[in-house]
Amino acid sequence: EAGVTQSPTHLIKTRGQQATLRCSPISGHTSVYWYQQALGLGLQFLLWYDEGEERNRGNFPPRFSGRQFPNYSSELNVNALELEDSALYLCASSLDGRHTGELFFGEGSRLTVL
Amino acid sequence: AQSVTQLGSHVSVSEGALVLLRCNYSSSVPPYLFWYVQYPNQGLQLLLKYTSAATLVKGINGFEAEFKKSETSFHLTKPSAHMSDAAEYFCAVSGDTDKLIFGTGTRLQVFP
């Protein structure tokens, strides 16, 4: 069974550009989560999608946005990139939206903003 | 609101020594607690979780953690470290919010 897959693995952008990151959850999982892992800051919760709807978002500006498609895959968009957006972006999926179970993580997309 | 504090951003042990990684949580409702591990250039994988059953939780790779409500702690231990245990470890809590809150992580180094 395929795990959570993310693309691209690495992405280099310049300040002011836009970045789009993609995530495919494990087959059968309806919930997708996005986390930002910046150096020294641990994992910061970005967004949670379930059944195509945004259920919750973390303390990030509106230029961080995303969506979940009917096949439950998800996209994270970051507009007007800033240097501090450089980080590893991790996507995770779970069988449902209850936060009592395991999250399955992808290997991440490393975004570098120059 | 919920939060997690991991004491010590870096821990170093010798191979064969006890591993102790500390985690304290804050939650206004009974929490669900997790330990995840991240090996270099990989995503996170679940080591173990506490969901209000037994307070001593056994996980993969010989790790275990004990939920102590009076101390609001969920420390991770392993009796004997292996070189392959070198990784970053994250404690996480969920409960009364619609998200899983992670700590800032502890990097474990194992020396031969």
Side-chain angles (χ1 to χ4, degrees):
Chain A
E1 178 184 301
V4 176
T5 58
Q6 292 186 244
S7 64
T9 307
H10 292 85
L11 188 60
I12 299 175
K13 294 284 188 178
T14 56
R15 285 177 58 191
Q17 286 189 311
Q18 181 202 36
T20 298
L21 309 177
R22 297 178 178 84
C23 172
S24 292
I26 290 173
S27 177
H29 286 192
T30 63
S31 272
V32 170
Y33 309 80
W34 288 96
Y35 284 85
Q36 181 194 67
Q37 186 177 18
L39 201 61
L41 296 180
L43 276 75
Q44 303 293 314
F45 170 73
L46 264 167
L47 289 159
W48 169 35
Y49 293 96
D50 185 55
E51 298 282 1
E53 305 255 344
E54 182 180 303
R55 302 294 185 182
N56 203 355
R57 66 178 291 130
N59 188 26
F60 280 85
R63 58 191 186 83
F64 286 83
S65 65
R67 54 181 170 166
Q68 186 178 35
F69 299 98
N71 66 354
Y72 303 118
S73 68
S74 178
E75 200 173 81
L76 173 68
N77 295 294
V78 188
N79 293 320
L81 286 166
E82 301 179 1
L83 296 179
E84 54 263 35
D85 296 334
S86 294
L88 182 68
Y89 289 84
L90 291 167
C91 173
S93 72
S94 69
L95 197 56
D96 55 35
R98 296 168 61 241
H99 293 265
T100 58
E102 179 177 0
L103 296 190
F104 295 83
F105 283 83
E107 295 191 351
S109 293
R110 185 164 296 282
L111 173 64
T112 302
V113 183
L114 302 176
Chain B
Q2 295 167 296
S3 65
V4 170
T5 301
Q6 290 185 241
L7 297 174
S9 58
H10 290 82
V11 170
S12 297
V13 300
S14 298
E15 195 171 20
L18 171 72
V19 176
L20 171 61
L21 304 182
R22 298 177 186 275
C23 172
N24 287 89
Y25 70 91
S26 171
S27 178
S28 57
V29 298
Y32 295 96
L33 294 159
F34 305 81
W35 275 99
Y36 281 82
V37 61
Q38 185 179 32
Y39 297 103
N41 300 313
Q42 294 187 24
L44 279 72
Q45 66 179 89
L46 184 70
L47 269 179
L48 49 81
K49 63 180 180 181
Y50 166 77
T51 56
S52 75
T55 58
L56 182 61
V57 182
K58 294 188 184 298
I60 62 172
N61 302 336
F63 284 93
E64 62 182 38
E66 186 173 7
F67 173 70
K68 291 187 176 180
K69 184 178 178 182
S70 60
E71 299 177 7
T72 61
S73 69
F74 190 58
H75 301 333
L76 181 71
T77 61
K78 182 174 180 178
S80 176
H82 295 150
M83 296 294 290
S84 59
D85 294 328
E88 188 149 23
Y89 293 79
F90 293 92
C91 182
V93 63
S94 71
D96 61 352
T97 60
D98 295 333
K99 54 191 174 186
L100 189 61
I101 305 297
F102 285 86
T104 52
T106 297
R107 185 167 297 279
L108 176 66
Q109 285 185 302
V110 182
F111 293 102

